[in-house]
Amino acid sequence: MSINDIQDTIAEEFALFGDWMEKYEYIIDLGKELPLIEPQYKDEDHLIRGCQSKVWLHADYRDGKIGFTADSDAVITKGIIALLIRVLSNQTPEAIANADLYFIDRIGLKEHLSPNRSNGLVSMVKQMKLFALALQASH
Amino acid sequence: MAVAVHEKKQVLDMAALRKDFPILERPMNGRPMVFLDSAASSQKPISVLQTLDHYYRHTHANVHRGVYQLSQEATDAFEAARRTIARFIHAPTDKEVLFVRGTTEGINLVASSYGRSFLQPGDEILISTMEHHSNIVPWQMIAEQMGARIKVWPITPAGELIWEAADELMGPKVKIVAITHISNALGTINPVKDIIELAHSRGIPVLLDGAQAIPHLKVDVQALDVDFYTFSGHKMFGPTGIGILYGKEKWLDQMPPYHGGGEMIERVTFEKTTYNELPHKFEAGTPDISGAVGLAAAVDYMESIGHEAIGQHEHALLEYATEQLLGIDGLRIIGTAAQKASVISFMVEGLHPYDIGALLDKMGIAVRTGHHCTQPLMDWYGIPGTVRASFAFYNSFEDVERLVEGVKRAVQMLA
């Protein structure tokens, strides 16, 4: 699926939630699932330090696509990471570099991607795009 | 476990008082807002808003040296504000009351100007484990420049300075002690009078970071005999961008200006400039005139409520909130000093502060989460941060109850 197809699917899924509590319970459940990153990548080199929560990000380039794995010490941050990975992982560098992540706004989680939150997510998305741009430039 | 409910002693007319703060009536995330982040910045009463409006509508012109009536009126308002603040903190003269942008600038000014005049290689600056980054970084910067070093006064697990350490810490190389009056992250009220007495007995001047104390306590710089005392207007119900540095004349006279520019000079030639008198020597450029006038209005407002009533109400809120929060399984309060202001930092076992804060936000409850600009303190406790609820006199017992309910619900959702 393309990035936008996945974004639209997520937006449809979220439209089913009755209130914010259901939505957050779902995100918390996503965040509680097994680690999204191999333990050896949860180190200083892969750490994106937010003021509030920590985020670890690892990228793998294979067969023309970038695979992302990531983790966070805060469960809501991690739940949102799970969504971001669902959207951006296993896509081409070009698609990732040009992605417009409108789903976050549409599912009402925009505040978590605000620099004011300094939870590491803004830097993570930036880092994902930088990986994509770097790979795009070298190929 | 049966918990004895603390008496909700009502000393203030909350309904009337909260009407003075229109912002408290707005909702947040669709719920009536509970604002528990006054330690970061407080809300403003109508009288302050009206003063700012009136100042700009009727009085504004640049201050000092104006030859026309309006400038004179603006200057009068500005200097009257200085006198109001001098009286508020019981400064012996308004020459010792400098307008700055806030506590951060106040500390930077002293670190830079005092540091350049009085620090020698090998000298020491004594701070404490519980300092805000604003009372760490400026000292590190000047220490690096002058070849001095920072010494850190350790604390107990409850968040109190280890008094027994003081004697050894204040050695002959210490040239200034810079300590917070009240810890922003823990709420600890430090024994500042004893600290000043001990430091002075060894000829060491003391700077107090008063940012968290000024909204809660009566501060008397003469009774304290403090050398420098600095605080921010926006934490004491005044405008943002204005703050105060009180400094004893004997030190300020010996210190070079911090910023150069207009207002702070006596005579300028391209070869040499002589500086203006206190307080203007430290107030380069057009000052925050409206901020100063607004700050004086905030002082008037606080005095109309009265420090005693403020103290009693906040203490009752603190006791009630502490007791109610401790009824939540796994909740631990960080900072349990015997003398505390109405600030409660807490963690819930197994949960990240960010998650709790994000859910409280959805419930209309504004708290602060994270390290509160005290990373060394959080490292000392070995925690990533806390959830901090801070109470001002406009907070009610219902606010405490909403917080406790909210935390319980957040814990339920996250567990």
Side-chain angles (χ1 to χ4, degrees), chain B residues 50-352:
Chain B
Q50 285 172 339
T51 300
L52 291 174
D53 184 79
H54 184 271
Y55 169 76
Y56 276 122
R57 279 177 199 274
H58 301 284
T59 319
H60 177 70
N62 211 335
V63 291
H64 304 137
R65 298 174 315 279
V67 295
Y68 50 91
Q69 186 190 3
L70 190 60
S71 169
Q72 188 56 52
E73 286 178 18
T75 304
D76 290 347
F78 182 65
E79 292 303 331
R82 196 191 305 275
R83 284 194 298 277
T84 298
I85 289 141
R87 179 179 46 74
F88 182 61
I89 59 172
H90 198 217
T93 153
D94 53 3
K95 281 196 291 191
E96 296 181 328
V97 175
L98 313 182
F99 285 115
V100 290
R101 282 184 296 168
T103 310
T104 299
E105 188 176 55
I107 297 171
N108 273 279
L109 190 159
V110 177
S112 170
S113 292
Y114 174 90
R116 277 183 285 146
S117 305
F118 293 98
L119 288 177
Q120 301 288 333
D123 281 348
E124 294 168 340
I125 297 154
L126 179 60
I127 63 173
S128 86
T129 306
M130 69 176 91
E131 299 312 316
H132 189 282
H133 295 164
S134 297
N135 199 26
I136 302 174
V137 182
W139 299 112
Q140 285 175 330
M141 288 163 65
I142 194 70
E144 192 178 2
Q145 208 180 320
M146 305 306 292
R149 68 180 201 99
I150 308 286
K151 246 168 126 175
V152 182
W153 192 336
I155 60 169
T156 65
E160 292 170 323
L161 293 170
I162 298 175
W163 185 254
E164 294 70 32
D167 185 53
E168 205 187 313
L169 284 166
M170 290 191 204
K173 287 183 172 170
V174 174
K175 288 292 158 12
I176 189 160
V177 176
I179 297 276
T180 191
H181 192 166
I182 293 181
S183 156
N184 72 309
L186 306 173
T188 309
I189 304 174
N190 282 318
V192 290
K193 196 155 179 4
D194 295 340
I195 294 170
I196 292 164
E197 247 171 53
L198 181 65
H200 284 180
S201 74
R202 295 165 186 207
I204 309 167
V206 176
L207 172 139
L208 292 180
D209 168 353
Q212 295 297 331
I214 203 83
H216 302 292
L217 305 178
K218 177 79 194 144
V219 172
D220 181 331
V221 293
Q222 290 187 77
L224 288 172
D225 196 22
V226 67
D227 300 277
F228 301 101
Y229 197 96
T230 182
F231 54 92
S232 303
H234 71 96
K235 290 193 205 291
M236 54 169 292
F237 322 102
T240 56
I242 188 80
I244 295 294
L245 171 65
Y246 162 81
K248 279 185 184 166
E249 196 174 350
K250 71 164 179 181
W251 295 116
L252 295 177
D253 270 343
Q254 297 179 72
M255 286 159 51
Y258 178 49
H259 290 147
E263 192 83 22
M264 49 78 73
I265 50 88
E266 182 193 52
R267 167 142 180 84
V268 177
T269 66
F270 283 113
E271 288 70 40
K272 185 176 168 54
T273 294
T274 51
Y275 304 124
N276 202 340
E277 296 175 342
L278 288 176
H280 310 293
K281 172 175 128 182
F282 288 101
E283 292 180 356
T286 297
D288 182 358
I289 312 163
S290 66
V293 172
L295 181 57
V299 166
D300 290 341
Y301 183 82
M302 281 185 78
E303 288 182 330
S304 76
I305 310 270
H307 275 99
E308 201 173 327
I310 290 172
Q312 280 176 16
H313 177 68
E314 289 178 348
H315 188 70
L317 287 176
L318 175 70
E319 292 212 324
Y320 184 54
T322 303
E323 176 195 274
Q324 294 293 309
L325 285 169
L326 286 176
I328 298 172
D329 270 350
L331 187 142
R332 177 161 72 109
I333 290 178
I334 309 295
T336 50
Q339 298 295 319
K340 261 187 84 167
S342 50
V343 170
I344 302 181
S345 257
F346 63 90
M347 308 199 49
V348 180
E349 206 184 327
L351 304 183
H352 198 286

